[in-house]
Amino acid sequence: MPVLEPNPPRSQRRLLIIFGLMMGVPAIVAVVATIAARMG
């Protein structure tokens, strides 16, 4: 069973979105924190 199907079922898609948020939000926070630290 492949991890990423061309048309994933709803539950898998929601899981993918949650996983993306888990990876993306800390990255965005880190970028914002870095910019804030450089500005002052």
Side-chain angles (χ1 to χ4, degrees):
M1 184 171 164
V3 179
L4 290 175
E5 296 168 14
N7 294 316
R10 225 183 135 90
S11 59
Q12 188 178 358
R13 207 165 147 200
R14 192 171 62 200
L15 213 143
L16 258 168
I17 292 169
I18 292 169
F19 186 73
L21 285 173
M22 281 173 60
M23 299 314 256
V25 169
I28 293 167
V29 169
V31 169
V32 171
T34 304
I35 292 168
R38 287 196 184 179
M39 286 176 81

